[in-house]
């Protein structure tokens, strides 16, 4: 079980998704106001990693080293996919391969932000005017991943305002579907040390949403739209009672979403603690050639990378 002292320096660092054409994907996320903070090339293994996040002077973790941040997106590009007409990403929202749902940015002015995205020619899964929920939209990235857009202010507060400033945007959360809410909440709180920040119960729709993250719960009347690096768990009622039911982890074929990542202040100590809690490992530190990353499995089999926060060692991980 997590104690505050053991996990107080943990950060929900990034969410990894595979992409077909990195040029198009980087262009899209930069249009949303993110900056390419680091590119790691692994030419022998024939893949590259692109880390993007908000880095304006107003950003939460502006100027920090890569693994001393929250709310980054890691794009993984396997060489050759961009020229392979057969290669297609699993976005996590199509049966029978549902699991990962979306990433989410929060914006200063949702009407103006959505108009700007539409004017640039990007497609929407859901516009503000679609359906009953008029305060959220979903734009599609070049691979068809869903990116939710939410406002940092109430809808009526920005009505008629035409300007939007991408420097104020946040990479707010990543959503994954879970089979058993009780088991998943226990894992993310007691094992990984996150705090349950808020719960949205939708009995009529037959689902609950749980928002978790590191740091304090919001105060009275405060929301979470201004935060970065949150995890949203979506639980559809009854899935926990079906033994045969499971979600797609994104790493089996067809692939798409890869993992979420938590950075820690002491990698060896964190992994020893996880070992003492009898977690299910995908990769221990001692497995394989990369001795500076580990992967544990959450109750649904999603991969959670554990990596060193460089602020505590003073040197780059890669």
């Amino acid at each position: 079980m997590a104690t505050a002292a053991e996990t107080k320096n943990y950060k929900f660092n990034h969410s990894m998704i595979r992409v077909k054409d990195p040029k198009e994907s980087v262009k899209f996320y930069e249009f949303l106001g993110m900056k390419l903070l680091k590119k790691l090339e692994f030419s022998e293994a024939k893949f590259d990693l692109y880390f993007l996040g908000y880095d304006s002077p107003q950003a939460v973790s502006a100027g920090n080293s890569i693994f001393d941040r929250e709310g980054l997106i890691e794009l993984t590009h396997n060489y050759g996919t961009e020229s392979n007409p057969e290669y297609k990403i699993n976005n996590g929202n199509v049966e029978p391969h549902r699991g990962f749902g979306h990433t989410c940015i929060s914006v200063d002015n949702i009407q103006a932000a959505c108009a700007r995205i539409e004017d640039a020619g990007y497609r929407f899964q859901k516009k503000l005017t679609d359906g009953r929920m008029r305060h959220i939209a979903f734009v599609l990235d070049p691979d068809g991943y869903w990116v939710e857009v939410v406002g940092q202010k109430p809808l009526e507060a920005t009505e008629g305002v035409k300007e939007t400033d991408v420097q104020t945007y946040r990479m707010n959360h990543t959503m994954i579907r879970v089979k058993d809410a009780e088991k998943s909440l226990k894992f993310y709180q007691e094992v990984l040390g996150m705090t349950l920040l808020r719960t949205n119960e939708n009995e009529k729709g037959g689902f609950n949403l749980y928002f978790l993250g590191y740091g304090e719960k919001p105060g009275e009347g405060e929301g979470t739209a201004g935060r970065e690096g949150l995890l949203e768990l979506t639980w559809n009622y009854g899935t926990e009672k079906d033994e045969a039911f499971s979600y797609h982890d994104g790493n089996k074929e067809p692939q798409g979403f890869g993992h979420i990542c938590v950075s820690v202040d002491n990698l060896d100590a964190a992994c020893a603690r996880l070992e003492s809690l009898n977690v299910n490992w995908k990769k221990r530190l001692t497995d394989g050639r990369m001795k500076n990353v580990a992967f544990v499995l959450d109750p649904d089999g999603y991969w959670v990378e554990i990596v060193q926060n460089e602020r505590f060692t003073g040197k780059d991980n890669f």
Side-chain angles (χ1 to χ4, degrees), residues 2-291:
T3 66
E6 287 175 312
T7 61
K8 67 183 175 73
N9 293 315
Y10 286 18
K11 293 190 173 189
F12 178 12
N13 179 245
H14 71 254
S15 302
M16 186 277 264
I17 55 175
R18 297 173 178 88
V19 299
K20 179 183 175 82
D21 186 338
K23 287 183 182 177
E24 290 301 314
S25 296
V26 169
K27 179 183 173 184
F28 171 80
Y29 288 102
E30 286 183 336
F31 180 79
L32 295 184
M34 295 185 188
K35 179 181 176 182
L36 179 58
L37 300 169
K38 196 178 192 78
K39 179 184 178 184
L40 296 176
E41 298 181 2
F42 296 90
S43 53
E44 283 186 13
K46 297 186 176 178
F47 72 90
D48 294 337
L49 307 178
Y50 300 78
F51 291 87
L52 294 108
Y54 289 104
D55 198 45
S56 77
Q58 299 174 59
V60 177
S61 50
N64 288 15
S65 60
I66 290 297
F67 295 101
D68 189 28
R69 293 173 179 256
E70 294 194 298
L72 300 185
I73 292 181
E74 177 190 358
L75 308 180
T76 293
H77 170 235
N78 294 295
Y79 296 177
T81 55
E82 70 281 7
S83 56
N84 180 359
E86 304 298 314
Y87 185 80
K88 190 179 178 186
I89 289 293
N90 165 30
N91 73 2
N93 290 302
V94 180
E95 293 290 6
H97 307 300
R98 294 199 317 155
F100 167 75
H102 60 259
T103 54
C104 173
I105 62 168
S106 66
V107 300
D108 58 345
N109 179 345
I110 192 166
Q111 296 98 327
C114 287
R116 176 178 174 270
I117 293 167
E118 188 170 5
D119 289 346
Y122 290 113
R123 296 177 301 132
F124 281 77
Q125 176 66 27
K126 179 203 174 298
K127 296 182 180 180
L128 284 177
T129 51
D130 297 338
R132 287 178 300 174
M133 299 182 76
R134 299 301 174 95
H135 61 290
I136 61 171
F138 285 89
V139 64
L140 296 173
D141 91 342
D143 287 291
Y145 290 113
W146 297 11
V147 180
E148 184 178 10
V149 184
V150 300
Q152 295 167 5
K153 301 172 186 173
L155 199 64
E156 56 273 14
T158 52
E159 196 73 54
V161 180
K162 302 296 184 185
E163 292 78 34
T164 181
D165 181 3
V166 298
Q167 294 197 24
T168 64
Y169 291 10
R170 302 276 187 263
M171 215 307 270
N172 179 248
H173 70 254
T174 294
M175 186 277 265
I176 55 176
R177 298 175 178 91
V178 298
K179 175 177 178 171
D180 188 323
E182 191 176 331
K183 288 181 180 177
S184 294
L185 287 168
K186 184 175 181 180
F187 173 82
Y188 284 103
Q189 290 178 99
E190 296 186 7
V191 177
L192 291 185
M194 292 184 179
T195 299
L196 179 60
L197 302 173
R198 67 183 175 94
T199 300
N200 290 358
E201 296 184 356
N202 190 326
E203 290 188 23
K204 191 178 288 186
F207 67 90
N208 288 355
L209 308 178
Y210 304 92
F211 291 85
L212 300 106
Y214 293 106
E216 298 296 319
K217 276 190 174 183
E220 190 72 33
E222 291 180 353
T224 55
R227 297 278 287 267
E228 284 193 325
L230 303 185
L231 180 66
E232 177 188 358
L233 306 180
T234 294
W235 169 56
N236 291 293
Y237 299 174
T239 52
E240 77 284 1
K241 297 172 184 172
D242 183 353
E243 284 187 23
F245 184 87
S246 66
Y247 284 116
H248 192 282
D249 66 8
N251 291 301
K252 301 180 185 75
E253 295 292 344
Q255 293 183 320
F257 165 76
H259 62 260
I260 59 174
C261 174
V262 172
S263 67
V264 299
D265 49 2
N266 185 320
L267 184 58
D268 290 327
C271 288
R273 177 181 161 274
L274 291 169
E275 188 77 58
S276 74
L277 294 172
N278 298 312
V279 298
N280 290 319
W281 293 95
K282 179 66 185 178
K283 178 200 174 299
R284 289 180 168 87
L285 284 177
T286 50
D287 296 339
R289 287 183 298 174
M290 295 183 76
K291 306 297 185 184

